[in-house]
Amino acid sequence: MTDVVVVTGGGGFIGGHLVRDLIGKGMRVRAVDKKPLDEWYQVSPDAESLVLDLSGYEACVKAAAGASRIYNLAADMGGMGFIEANKALCMLSVLINTHMLMAASEAGADRFFFSSSACVYAAEHQTSPDVTALAEADAYPAMPEDGYGWEKLFSERMCRHYLEDFDFQTRVARYHNVYGPYGTYDGGREKAPAAICRKVIAAKLSGSNEIEIWGDGEQTRSFMYVDDCVYGTQLLTDSDVVDPINVGSSELVTINQLVSIVEDIAEVELKRNYKLDAPQGVRGRNSDNTLILERLGWEPSTTLRDGMEQTYRWIYDQMATPALSKVG
């Protein structure tokens, strides 16, 4: 037990998993989130849990005090439905990233990790379902996802310049569609894997035998299981890789194929109703893992079928028994 490791967004989906993993390794962890504790996805009793709004500088100073390492995962974000309708809110996360960088540097932290996103990639590379996997260089010339993607790209550059100007050790991962248990599955902020699990479960529990799919279902994505995300995050933070790097699965599927996987897990076959005017983002996106394999000798390996089974089982338990606790 040495200096504290800080996880901002510790009450969120990825942050909650990261906190538990770090504690399991014997680290002293401070989890920080602006949500009230009873709204955190996971609360680890062995962590110091602080409720702070990190858009303000003074809150970031409190969060960073005594920290040796900071994992900055805090952001106002959600799935495609949320980020397309809340561009200004997404961009305001730049306040969190700016103030956390300032506070972390002034606190003398050894490492600062920033969770960026595949949404930084230029739209011109993502116009076909049969997409060429996105390599790190494809972020420039810049034309990222409006709002959310621009904020992430700007914050990447801040990390780069803190490294160049102040020798402050920053690390940046471009996450590709993270999913798993203990995350949002309803309310408008959920991403496709959780949303599809919820819809299949609802159809099964109600007996409706129908599902609504956003778009024509032929848009393609890769999805990374949260355990791979947590491992890759720490592997990158411990490394000497200073440029942004993809942390994502390279297993490309259509949304229709994703629905079929969940139907198979649920042992149902549903009538598919396509909502063609719904938000659906880019036509195709996949992770090129050449660089992470070259630099870190690793890439996410959990198959989509295995990860979705774990995700489906957890969401099913929440929907069938809503009073299940998030704690522990």
Side-chain angles (χ1 to χ4, degrees):
M1 303 284 279
T2 56
D3 293 340
V4 68
V5 176
V6 173
V7 179
T8 73
F13 165 48
I14 302 172
H17 283 275
L18 179 59
V19 167
R20 292 187 67 168
D21 190 73
L22 291 167
I23 287 174
K25 293 175 177 174
M27 298 184 186
R28 180 183 170 198
V29 179
R30 178 182 300 144
V32 186
D33 206 289
K34 74 173 182 179
K35 296 186 295 290
L37 274 175
D38 61 2
E39 295 179 14
W40 288 29
Y41 293 116
Q42 299 183 72
V43 178
S44 296
D46 294 327
E48 176 190 4
S49 298
L50 300 182
V51 176
L52 296 170
D53 182 351
L54 297 175
S55 62
Y57 173 70
E58 292 302 324
C60 291
V61 170
K62 291 179 183 178
S68 61
R69 180 161 298 196
I70 294 174
Y71 294 93
N72 185 27
L73 279 66
D76 202 347
M77 58 84 68
M80 188 52 59
F82 178 82
I83 65 176
E84 283 200 1
N86 295 276
K87 295 182 177 67
L89 281 180
C90 290
M91 291 200 75
L92 284 172
S93 292
V94 74
L95 296 173
I96 299 172
N97 303 327
T98 303
H99 291 144
M100 277 307 306
L101 261 174
M102 294 169 63
S105 177
E106 291 162 11
D110 297 327
R111 292 282 167 99
F112 182 92
F113 170 85
F114 173 62
S115 59
S116 188
S117 165
C119 288
V120 303
Y121 285 113
E124 67 183 36
H125 298 297
Q126 304 173 78
T127 58
S128 169
D130 188 24
V131 65
T132 299
L134 294 161
E136 285 76 3
D138 292 329
Y140 295 94
M143 189 51 68
E145 183 80 36
D146 199 9
Y148 181 70
W150 276 110
E151 182 275 321
K152 288 295 189 184
L153 195 62
F154 175 78
S155 296
E156 284 189 9
R157 301 298 285 192
M158 281 203 303
C159 288
R160 170 178 171 171
H161 296 312
Y162 257 76
L163 176 68
E164 292 173 341
D165 294 356
F166 307 117
D167 195 29
F168 183 57
Q169 293 298 311
T170 58
R171 302 291 185 266
V172 177
R174 291 175 179 161
Y175 288 159
H176 287 248
N177 295 312
V178 187
Y179 73 97
Y182 293 96
T184 302
Y185 61 90
D186 63 4
R189 290 180 182 253
E190 66 276 15
K191 295 186 178 182
I196 289 170
C197 285
R198 185 198 74 240
K199 291 177 181 181
V200 171
I201 292 165
K204 184 172 182 175
L205 292 176
S206 69
S208 69
N209 295 316
E210 294 188 4
I211 184 172
E212 180 183 87
I213 299 172
W214 287 9
D216 62 4
E218 291 306 304
Q219 62 270 38
T220 54
R221 295 290 187 278
S222 66
F223 300 97
M224 173 173 55
Y225 190 59
V226 67
D227 288 358
D228 285 335
C229 178
V230 167
Y231 181 84
T233 293
Q234 294 174 75
L235 186 67
L236 172 60
T237 305
D238 291 339
S239 77
D240 61 358
V241 178
V242 298
D243 293 320
I245 196 168
N246 285 331
V247 178
S249 170
S250 59
E251 182 184 352
L252 186 70
V253 294
T254 67
I255 296 301
N256 280 325
Q257 288 172 327
L258 180 61
V259 173
S260 294
I261 289 171
V262 180
E263 286 179 330
D264 181 60
I265 293 167
E267 299 181 333
V268 296
E269 187 172 346
L270 305 175
K271 177 185 176 184
R272 302 183 182 189
N273 301 316
Y274 294 96
K275 185 174 175 57
L276 300 180
D277 60 348
Q280 50 191 295
V282 297
R283 193 64 178 153
R285 176 182 291 154
N286 195 13
S287 179
D288 183 326
N289 288 346
T290 302
L291 187 58
I292 194 170
L293 282 166
E294 177 185 307
R295 297 300 305 276
L296 300 180
W298 173 87
E299 67 175 327
S301 59
T302 303
T303 67
L304 186 57
R305 178 61 169 74
D306 288 347
M308 287 302 293
E309 181 154 11
Q310 297 299 316
T311 306
Y312 177 91
R313 302 300 176 201
W314 182 80
I315 295 174
Y316 185 91
D317 286 345
Q318 307 311 299
M319 294 178 68
T321 313
L324 285 176
S325 174
K326 299 175 183 177
V327 179

